């Protein structure tokens, strides 16, 4: 009974909205995907820029002066690379999905 009511609410909700048939077209899914991928690319560039800025900052030099082991192992650089790799993988996942996924 709960499932039937939930399905009925969804059906009524989508039928009652003007122009909803346009929202569910594959072309709209393609535009939505393109906008998300574009925003994701911008986010990747911003993250890379901010991390590079942070690595080159005076504050980082002061922190590393008191942490020779981390400095020698370049843990701060590895962490930044890991962050960029994770964000890039997230973006690639969205690039690989079909446009229909975004409908």
């Amino acid at each position: 009974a709960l499932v039937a009511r939930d399905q009925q609410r969804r059906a009524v909700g989508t039928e009652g909205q003007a122009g909803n048939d346009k929202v569910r077209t594959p072309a709209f899914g393609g535009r939505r995907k393109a906008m998300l991928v574009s925003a994701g690319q911008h986010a990747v560039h911003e993250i890379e820029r901010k991390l590079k800025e942070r690595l080159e900052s005076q504050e980082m030099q002061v922190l590393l002066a008191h942490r020779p082991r981390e400095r020698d192992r370049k843990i701060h650089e590895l962490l930044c690379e890991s962050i960029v790799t994770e964000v890039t993988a997230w973006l690639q996942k969205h690039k690989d999905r079909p446009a229909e996924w975004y409908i």
Side-chain angles (χ1 to χ4, degrees):
L2 275 173
V3 174
R5 274 191 276 167
D6 186 46
Q7 289 173 344
Q8 184 181 17
R9 275 192 216 128
R10 279 194 242 155
V12 169
T14 58
E15 288 174 8
Q17 296 174 1
N20 195 37
D21 54 333
K22 294 177 185 174
V23 173
R24 299 204 180 271
T25 63
F28 183 79
R31 288 194 308 267
R32 185 180 283 175
K33 176 183 177 180
M35 290 187 329
L36 180 82
V37 168
S38 177
Q41 288 170 333
H42 178 72
V44 169
H45 292 302
E46 278 295 305
I47 289 168
E48 288 174 332
R49 184 184 66 78
K50 293 232 182 219
L51 288 172
K52 182 179 179 190
E53 185 179 288
R54 181 83 170 148
L55 281 175
E56 296 171 353
S57 72
Q58 184 64 32
E59 183 182 7
M60 182 61 71
Q61 299 309 315
V62 170
L63 287 170
L64 292 174
H66 299 288
R67 294 177 173 92
R69 184 175 178 178
E70 284 85 357
R71 182 189 62 226
D72 294 341
R73 292 184 176 184
K74 299 187 182 213
I75 291 177
H76 57 293
E77 292 176 13
L78 294 172
L79 177 61
C80 289
E81 288 174 19
S82 171
I83 292 168
V84 171
T85 300
E86 186 175 339
V87 173
T88 304
W90 173 85
L91 179 60
Q92 189 60 47
K93 178 179 73 174
H94 282 283
K95 285 181 178 180
D96 293 343
R97 286 187 173 147
E100 294 79 28
W101 191 87
Y102 296 91
I103 296 177

PDB file of all heavy atoms in Angstrom, residues 42-70:
ATOM      1  N   HIS A  42      36.044  23.101 -14.159  1.00  0.00           N
ATOM      2  CA  HIS A  42      36.400  24.354 -13.483  1.00  0.00           C
ATOM      3  C   HIS A  42      36.814  24.071 -12.039  1.00  0.00           C
ATOM      4  O   HIS A  42      37.809  24.629 -11.556  1.00  0.00           O
ATOM      5  CB  HIS A  42      35.212  25.322 -13.520  1.00  0.00           C
ATOM      6  CG  HIS A  42      35.476  26.596 -12.815  1.00  0.00           C
ATOM      7  ND1 HIS A  42      36.314  27.564 -13.300  1.00  0.00           N
ATOM      8  CD2 HIS A  42      35.019  27.058 -11.623  1.00  0.00           C
ATOM      9  CE1 HIS A  42      36.366  28.569 -12.438  1.00  0.00           C
ATOM     10  NE2 HIS A  42      35.586  28.289 -11.421  1.00  0.00           N
ATOM     11  N   ALA A  43      36.085  23.203 -11.369  1.00  0.00           N
ATOM     12  CA  ALA A  43      36.412  22.864  -9.978  1.00  0.00           C
ATOM     13  C   ALA A  43      37.787  22.199  -9.887  1.00  0.00           C
ATOM     14  O   ALA A  43      38.566  22.507  -8.977  1.00  0.00           O
ATOM     15  CB  ALA A  43      35.340  21.943  -9.398  1.00  0.00           C
ATOM     16  N   VAL A  44      38.094  21.312 -10.828  1.00  0.00           N
ATOM     17  CA  VAL A  44      39.413  20.650 -10.825  1.00  0.00           C
ATOM     18  C   VAL A  44      40.520  21.689 -10.971  1.00  0.00           C
ATOM     19  O   VAL A  44      41.515  21.675 -10.226  1.00  0.00           O
ATOM     20  CB  VAL A  44      39.497  19.593 -11.944  1.00  0.00           C
ATOM     21  CG1 VAL A  44      40.930  19.107 -12.125  1.00  0.00           C
ATOM     22  CG2 VAL A  44      38.590  18.416 -11.637  1.00  0.00           C
ATOM     23  N   HIS A  45      40.350  22.629 -11.900  1.00  0.00           N
ATOM     24  CA  HIS A  45      41.362  23.674 -12.092  1.00  0.00           C
ATOM     25  C   HIS A  45      41.510  24.549 -10.853  1.00  0.00           C
ATOM     26  O   HIS A  45      42.632  24.901 -10.457  1.00  0.00           O
ATOM     27  CB  HIS A  45      41.029  24.537 -13.307  1.00  0.00           C
ATOM     28  CG  HIS A  45      41.157  23.802 -14.606  1.00  0.00           C
ATOM     29  ND1 HIS A  45      42.325  23.200 -15.018  1.00  0.00           N
ATOM     30  CD2 HIS A  45      40.255  23.568 -15.582  1.00  0.00           C
ATOM     31  CE1 HIS A  45      42.142  22.625 -16.190  1.00  0.00           C
ATOM     32  NE2 HIS A  45      40.885  22.823 -16.551  1.00  0.00           N
ATOM     33  N   GLU A  46      40.394  24.891 -10.236  1.00  0.00           N
ATOM     34  CA  GLU A  46      40.436  25.712  -9.026  1.00  0.00           C
ATOM     35  C   GLU A  46      41.136  24.969  -7.884  1.00  0.00           C
ATOM     36  O   GLU A  46      41.923  25.558  -7.146  1.00  0.00           O
ATOM     37  CB  GLU A  46      39.021  26.109  -8.587  1.00  0.00           C
ATOM     38  CG  GLU A  46      38.470  27.286  -9.330  1.00  0.00           C
ATOM     39  CD  GLU A  46      39.252  28.561  -9.054  1.00  0.00           C
ATOM     40  OE1 GLU A  46      39.415  28.957  -7.884  1.00  0.00           O
ATOM     41  OE2 GLU A  46      39.713  29.157 -10.039  1.00  0.00           O
ATOM     42  N   ILE A  47      40.829  23.693  -7.733  1.00  0.00           N
ATOM     43  CA  ILE A  47      41.457  22.897  -6.665  1.00  0.00           C
ATOM     44  C   ILE A  47      42.955  22.798  -6.900  1.00  0.00           C
ATOM     45  O   ILE A  47      43.758  22.975  -5.982  1.00  0.00           O
ATOM     46  CB  ILE A  47      40.788  21.505  -6.573  1.00  0.00           C
ATOM     47  CG1 ILE A  47      39.378  21.663  -6.005  1.00  0.00           C
ATOM     48  CG2 ILE A  47      41.621  20.554  -5.732  1.00  0.00           C
ATOM     49  CD1 ILE A  47      38.518  20.421  -6.126  1.00  0.00           C
ATOM     50  N   GLU A  48      43.346  22.515  -8.159  1.00  0.00           N
ATOM     51  CA  GLU A  48      44.778  22.450  -8.474  1.00  0.00           C
ATOM     52  C   GLU A  48      45.473  23.780  -8.173  1.00  0.00           C
ATOM     53  O   GLU A  48      46.564  23.810  -7.596  1.00  0.00           O
ATOM     54  CB  GLU A  48      44.977  22.083  -9.949  1.00  0.00           C
ATOM     55  CG  GLU A  48      44.652  20.657 -10.270  1.00  0.00           C
ATOM     56  CD  GLU A  48      44.725  20.359 -11.756  1.00  0.00           C
ATOM     57  OE1 GLU A  48      44.508  21.287 -12.591  1.00  0.00           O
ATOM     58  OE2 GLU A  48      44.998  19.199 -12.102  1.00  0.00           O
ATOM     59  N   ARG A  49      44.844  24.882  -8.564  1.00  0.00           N
ATOM     60  CA  ARG A  49      45.426  26.203  -8.353  1.00  0.00           C
ATOM     61  C   ARG A  49      45.583  26.506  -6.862  1.00  0.00           C
ATOM     62  O   ARG A  49      46.635  26.956  -6.408  1.00  0.00           O
ATOM     63  CB  ARG A  49      44.551  27.277  -9.006  1.00  0.00           C
ATOM     64  CG  ARG A  49      45.127  28.688  -8.916  1.00  0.00           C
ATOM     65  CD  ARG A  49      44.185  29.720  -9.488  1.00  0.00           C
ATOM     66  NE  ARG A  49      42.953  29.855  -8.734  1.00  0.00           N
ATOM     67  CZ  ARG A  49      42.838  30.524  -7.588  1.00  0.00           C
ATOM     68  NH1 ARG A  49      43.889  31.100  -7.049  1.00  0.00           N
ATOM     69  NH2 ARG A  49      41.673  30.610  -6.974  1.00  0.00           N
ATOM     70  N   LYS A  50      44.531  26.222  -6.098  1.00  0.00           N
ATOM     71  CA  LYS A  50      44.584  26.507  -4.659  1.00  0.00           C
ATOM     72  C   LYS A  50      45.614  25.622  -3.947  1.00  0.00           C
ATOM     73  O   LYS A  50      46.308  26.085  -3.036  1.00  0.00           O
ATOM     74  CB  LYS A  50      43.205  26.320  -4.033  1.00  0.00           C
ATOM     75  CG  LYS A  50      42.216  27.342  -4.516  1.00  0.00           C
ATOM     76  CD  LYS A  50      41.563  28.008  -3.364  1.00  0.00           C
ATOM     77  CE  LYS A  50      40.540  28.989  -3.933  1.00  0.00           C
ATOM     78  NZ  LYS A  50      40.533  30.202  -3.181  1.00  0.00           N
ATOM     79  N   LEU A  51      45.713  24.360  -4.361  1.00  0.00           N
ATOM     80  CA  LEU A  51      46.699  23.474  -3.737  1.00  0.00           C
ATOM     81  C   LEU A  51      48.121  23.917  -4.065  1.00  0.00           C
ATOM     82  O   LEU A  51      48.998  23.909  -3.191  1.00  0.00           O
ATOM     83  CB  LEU A  51      46.470  22.027  -4.180  1.00  0.00           C
ATOM     84  CG  LEU A  51      45.243  21.337  -3.589  1.00  0.00           C
ATOM     85  CD1 LEU A  51      45.020  19.985  -4.254  1.00  0.00           C
ATOM     86  CD2 LEU A  51      45.381  21.174  -2.082  1.00  0.00           C
ATOM     87  N   LYS A  52      48.338  24.299  -5.317  1.00  0.00           N
ATOM     88  CA  LYS A  52      49.673  24.783  -5.710  1.00  0.00           C
ATOM     89  C   LYS A  52      50.030  26.041  -4.934  1.00  0.00           C
ATOM     90  O   LYS A  52      51.151  26.174  -4.429  1.00  0.00           O
ATOM     91  CB  LYS A  52      49.708  25.058  -7.211  1.00  0.00           C
ATOM     92  CG  LYS A  52      51.052  25.505  -7.698  1.00  0.00           C
ATOM     93  CD  LYS A  52      51.066  25.752  -9.190  1.00  0.00           C
ATOM     94  CE  LYS A  52      52.447  26.214  -9.603  1.00  0.00           C
ATOM     95  NZ  LYS A  52      52.494  26.681 -10.967  1.00  0.00           N
ATOM     96  N   GLU A  53      49.063  26.934  -4.819  1.00  0.00           N
ATOM     97  CA  GLU A  53      49.255  28.166  -4.056  1.00  0.00           C
ATOM     98  C   GLU A  53      49.604  27.844  -2.605  1.00  0.00           C
ATOM     99  O   GLU A  53      50.496  28.447  -2.013  1.00  0.00           O
ATOM    100  CB  GLU A  53      47.967  28.978  -4.132  1.00  0.00           C
ATOM    101  CG  GLU A  53      48.006  30.330  -3.501  1.00  0.00           C
ATOM    102  CD  GLU A  53      46.668  31.026  -3.673  1.00  0.00           C
ATOM    103  OE1 GLU A  53      46.352  31.435  -4.803  1.00  0.00           O
ATOM    104  OE2 GLU A  53      45.934  31.130  -2.661  1.00  0.00           O
ATOM    105  N   ARG A  54      48.902  26.878  -2.058  1.00  0.00           N
ATOM    106  CA  ARG A  54      49.130  26.480  -0.660  1.00  0.00           C
ATOM    107  C   ARG A  54      50.513  25.835  -0.484  1.00  0.00           C
ATOM    108  O   ARG A  54      51.207  26.103   0.496  1.00  0.00           O
ATOM    109  CB  ARG A  54      48.026  25.512  -0.242  1.00  0.00           C
ATOM    110  CG  ARG A  54      48.117  25.042   1.159  1.00  0.00           C
ATOM    111  CD  ARG A  54      47.502  26.034   2.101  1.00  0.00           C
ATOM    112  NE  ARG A  54      47.408  25.398   3.403  1.00  0.00           N
ATOM    113  CZ  ARG A  54      47.504  26.042   4.524  1.00  0.00           C
ATOM    114  NH1 ARG A  54      47.635  27.331   4.518  1.00  0.00           N
ATOM    115  NH2 ARG A  54      47.441  25.415   5.654  1.00  0.00           N
ATOM    116  N   LEU A  55      50.913  24.991  -1.437  1.00  0.00           N
ATOM    117  CA  LEU A  55      52.218  24.333  -1.352  1.00  0.00           C
ATOM    118  C   LEU A  55      53.363  25.339  -1.403  1.00  0.00           C
ATOM    119  O   LEU A  55      54.395  25.144  -0.767  1.00  0.00           O
ATOM    120  CB  LEU A  55      52.390  23.324  -2.490  1.00  0.00           C
ATOM    121  CG  LEU A  55      51.697  21.980  -2.333  1.00  0.00           C
ATOM    122  CD1 LEU A  55      51.872  21.148  -3.591  1.00  0.00           C
ATOM    123  CD2 LEU A  55      52.220  21.229  -1.126  1.00  0.00           C
ATOM    124  N   GLU A  56      53.173  26.397  -2.179  1.00  0.00           N
ATOM    125  CA  GLU A  56      54.225  27.393  -2.357  1.00  0.00           C
ATOM    126  C   GLU A  56      54.184  28.507  -1.322  1.00  0.00           C
ATOM    127  O   GLU A  56      55.030  29.399  -1.339  1.00  0.00           O
ATOM    128  CB  GLU A  56      54.130  27.980  -3.768  1.00  0.00           C
ATOM    129  CG  GLU A  56      54.385  26.956  -4.850  1.00  0.00           C
ATOM    130  CD  GLU A  56      54.091  27.474  -6.246  1.00  0.00           C
ATOM    131  OE1 GLU A  56      53.555  28.601  -6.372  1.00  0.00           O
ATOM    132  OE2 GLU A  56      54.389  26.744  -7.203  1.00  0.00           O
ATOM    133  N   SER A  57      53.230  28.449  -0.417  1.00  0.00           N
ATOM    134  CA  SER A  57      53.056  29.533   0.552  1.00  0.00           C
ATOM    135  C   SER A  57      54.156  29.532   1.622  1.00  0.00           C
ATOM    136  O   SER A  57      54.785  28.514   1.908  1.00  0.00           O
ATOM    137  CB  SER A  57      51.694  29.419   1.233  1.00  0.00           C
ATOM    138  OG  SER A  57      51.675  28.323   2.120  1.00  0.00           O
ATOM    139  N   GLN A  58      54.327  30.695   2.190  1.00  0.00           N
ATOM    140  CA  GLN A  58      55.284  30.861   3.285  1.00  0.00           C
ATOM    141  C   GLN A  58      54.849  30.038   4.499  1.00  0.00           C
ATOM    142  O   GLN A  58      55.672  29.456   5.188  1.00  0.00           O
ATOM    143  CB  GLN A  58      55.401  32.347   3.651  1.00  0.00           C
ATOM    144  CG  GLN A  58      56.439  32.626   4.709  1.00  0.00           C
ATOM    145  CD  GLN A  58      57.841  32.280   4.251  1.00  0.00           C
ATOM    146  OE1 GLN A  58      58.164  32.392   3.074  1.00  0.00           O
ATOM    147  NE2 GLN A  58      58.666  31.853   5.177  1.00  0.00           N
ATOM    148  N   GLU A  59      53.558  29.979   4.723  1.00  0.00           N
ATOM    149  CA  GLU A  59      53.027  29.205   5.846  1.00  0.00           C
ATOM    150  C   GLU A  59      53.437  27.729   5.740  1.00  0.00           C
ATOM    151  O   GLU A  59      53.808  27.105   6.731  1.00  0.00           O
ATOM    152  CB  GLU A  59      51.505  29.328   5.884  1.00  0.00           C
ATOM    153  CG  GLU A  59      50.865  28.612   7.047  1.00  0.00           C
ATOM    154  CD  GLU A  59      49.346  28.717   7.021  1.00  0.00           C
ATOM    155  OE1 GLU A  59      48.780  29.232   6.052  1.00  0.00           O
ATOM    156  OE2 GLU A  59      48.747  28.255   8.010  1.00  0.00           O
ATOM    157  N   MET A  60      53.380  27.190   4.527  1.00  0.00           N
ATOM    158  CA  MET A  60      53.774  25.788   4.323  1.00  0.00           C
ATOM    159  C   MET A  60      55.265  25.603   4.613  1.00  0.00           C
ATOM    160  O   MET A  60      55.663  24.603   5.207  1.00  0.00           O
ATOM    161  CB  MET A  60      53.449  25.349   2.897  1.00  0.00           C
ATOM    162  CG  MET A  60      53.769  23.893   2.614  1.00  0.00           C
ATOM    163  SD  MET A  60      52.852  22.721   3.632  1.00  0.00           S
ATOM    164  CE  MET A  60      51.227  22.892   2.942  1.00  0.00           C
ATOM    165  N   GLN A  61      56.072  26.565   4.212  1.00  0.00           N
ATOM    166  CA  GLN A  61      57.512  26.473   4.466  1.00  0.00           C
ATOM    167  C   GLN A  61      57.803  26.463   5.963  1.00  0.00           C
ATOM    168  O   GLN A  61      58.658  25.719   6.442  1.00  0.00           O
ATOM    169  CB  GLN A  61      58.249  27.629   3.774  1.00  0.00           C
ATOM    170  CG  GLN A  61      58.083  27.646   2.264  1.00  0.00           C
ATOM    171  CD  GLN A  61      58.392  26.316   1.614  1.00  0.00           C
ATOM    172  OE1 GLN A  61      59.390  25.678   1.930  1.00  0.00           O
ATOM    173  NE2 GLN A  61      57.520  25.889   0.714  1.00  0.00           N
ATOM    174  N   VAL A  62      57.055  27.279   6.703  1.00  0.00           N
ATOM    175  CA  VAL A  62      57.224  27.321   8.158  1.00  0.00           C
ATOM    176  C   VAL A  62      56.800  25.990   8.777  1.00  0.00           C
ATOM    177  O   VAL A  62      57.490  25.449   9.644  1.00  0.00           O
ATOM    178  CB  VAL A  62      56.422  28.494   8.771  1.00  0.00           C
ATOM    179  CG1 VAL A  62      56.389  28.416  10.284  1.00  0.00           C
ATOM    180  CG2 VAL A  62      57.003  29.815   8.313  1.00  0.00           C
ATOM    181  N   LEU A  63      55.673  25.459   8.321  1.00  0.00           N
ATOM    182  CA  LEU A  63      55.205  24.171   8.846  1.00  0.00           C
ATOM    183  C   LEU A  63      56.207  23.059   8.556  1.00  0.00           C
ATOM    184  O   LEU A  63      56.503  22.228   9.419  1.00  0.00           O
ATOM    185  CB  LEU A  63      53.852  23.810   8.237  1.00  0.00           C
ATOM    186  CG  LEU A  63      52.651  24.606   8.732  1.00  0.00           C
ATOM    187  CD1 LEU A  63      51.433  24.304   7.865  1.00  0.00           C
ATOM    188  CD2 LEU A  63      52.366  24.281  10.176  1.00  0.00           C
ATOM    189  N   LEU A  64      56.733  23.029   7.343  1.00  0.00           N
ATOM    190  CA  LEU A  64      57.674  21.970   6.966  1.00  0.00           C
ATOM    191  C   LEU A  64      59.023  22.110   7.655  1.00  0.00           C
ATOM    192  O   LEU A  64      59.734  21.120   7.836  1.00  0.00           O
ATOM    193  CB  LEU A  64      57.848  21.936   5.447  1.00  0.00           C
ATOM    194  CG  LEU A  64      56.617  21.496   4.672  1.00  0.00           C
ATOM    195  CD1 LEU A  64      56.857  21.634   3.177  1.00  0.00           C
ATOM    196  CD2 LEU A  64      56.234  20.069   5.014  1.00  0.00           C
ATOM    197  N   ALA A  65      59.376  23.317   8.051  1.00  0.00           N
ATOM    198  CA  ALA A  65      60.636  23.525   8.770  1.00  0.00           C
ATOM    199  C   ALA A  65      60.628  22.775  10.096  1.00  0.00           C
ATOM    200  O   ALA A  65      61.677  22.332  10.584  1.00  0.00           O
ATOM    201  CB  ALA A  65      60.862  25.014   9.006  1.00  0.00           C
ATOM    202  N   HIS A  66      59.443  22.606  10.676  1.00  0.00           N
ATOM    203  CA  HIS A  66      59.311  21.900  11.952  1.00  0.00           C
ATOM    204  C   HIS A  66      58.927  20.437  11.775  1.00  0.00           C
ATOM    205  O   HIS A  66      58.726  19.734  12.760  1.00  0.00           O
ATOM    206  CB  HIS A  66      58.257  22.607  12.821  1.00  0.00           C
ATOM    207  CG  HIS A  66      58.619  24.013  13.133  1.00  0.00           C
ATOM    208  ND1 HIS A  66      59.627  24.351  13.999  1.00  0.00           N
ATOM    209  CD2 HIS A  66      58.123  25.192  12.647  1.00  0.00           C
ATOM    210  CE1 HIS A  66      59.733  25.662  14.057  1.00  0.00           C
ATOM    211  NE2 HIS A  66      58.842  26.192  13.248  1.00  0.00           N
ATOM    212  N   ARG A  67      58.818  19.994  10.544  1.00  0.00           N
ATOM    213  CA  ARG A  67      58.444  18.604  10.253  1.00  0.00           C
ATOM    214  C   ARG A  67      59.366  18.030   9.167  1.00  0.00           C
ATOM    215  O   ARG A  67      58.946  17.806   8.028  1.00  0.00           O
ATOM    216  CB  ARG A  67      56.991  18.536   9.803  1.00  0.00           C
ATOM    217  CG  ARG A  67      56.008  18.922  10.879  1.00  0.00           C
ATOM    218  CD  ARG A  67      54.587  18.897  10.329  1.00  0.00           C
ATOM    219  NE  ARG A  67      53.617  19.095  11.392  1.00  0.00           N
ATOM    220  CZ  ARG A  67      53.143  20.291  11.744  1.00  0.00           C
ATOM    221  NH1 ARG A  67      53.545  21.376  11.121  1.00  0.00           N
ATOM    222  NH2 ARG A  67      52.260  20.394  12.708  1.00  0.00           N
ATOM    223  N   PRO A  68      60.623  17.792   9.503  1.00  0.00           N
ATOM    224  CA  PRO A  68      61.586  17.350   8.490  1.00  0.00           C
ATOM    225  C   PRO A  68      61.236  15.993   7.863  1.00  0.00           C
ATOM    226  O   PRO A  68      61.490  15.768   6.674  1.00  0.00           O
ATOM    227  CB  PRO A  68      62.914  17.290   9.238  1.00  0.00           C
ATOM    228  CG  PRO A  68      62.557  17.238  10.677  1.00  0.00           C
ATOM    229  CD  PRO A  68      61.239  17.928  10.816  1.00  0.00           C
ATOM    230  N   ARG A  69      60.641  15.133   8.641  1.00  0.00           N
ATOM    231  CA  ARG A  69      60.290  13.809   8.100  1.00  0.00           C
ATOM    232  C   ARG A  69      59.238  13.940   6.990  1.00  0.00           C
ATOM    233  O   ARG A  69      59.372  13.338   5.932  1.00  0.00           O
ATOM    234  CB  ARG A  69      59.759  12.924   9.223  1.00  0.00           C
ATOM    235  CG  ARG A  69      59.472  11.532   8.809  1.00  0.00           C
ATOM    236  CD  ARG A  69      59.084  10.708  10.009  1.00  0.00           C
ATOM    237  NE  ARG A  69      58.755   9.360   9.584  1.00  0.00           N
ATOM    238  CZ  ARG A  69      58.413   8.415  10.409  1.00  0.00           C
ATOM    239  NH1 ARG A  69      58.353   8.636  11.698  1.00  0.00           N
ATOM    240  NH2 ARG A  69      58.120   7.227   9.963  1.00  0.00           N
ATOM    241  N   GLU A  70      58.200  14.741   7.236  1.00  0.00           N
ATOM    242  CA  GLU A  70      57.174  14.966   6.223  1.00  0.00           C
ATOM    243  C   GLU A  70      57.751  15.672   5.004  1.00  0.00           C
ATOM    244  O   GLU A  70      57.413  15.363   3.873  1.00  0.00           O
ATOM    245  CB  GLU A  70      56.005  15.783   6.795  1.00  0.00           C
ATOM    246  CG  GLU A  70      55.071  14.990   7.678  1.00  0.00           C
ATOM    247  CD  GLU A  70      55.539  14.896   9.124  1.00  0.00           C
ATOM    248  OE1 GLU A  70      56.628  15.409   9.452  1.00  0.00           O
ATOM    249  OE2 GLU A  70      54.809  14.310   9.935  1.00  0.00           O
TER     250      GLU A  70
END
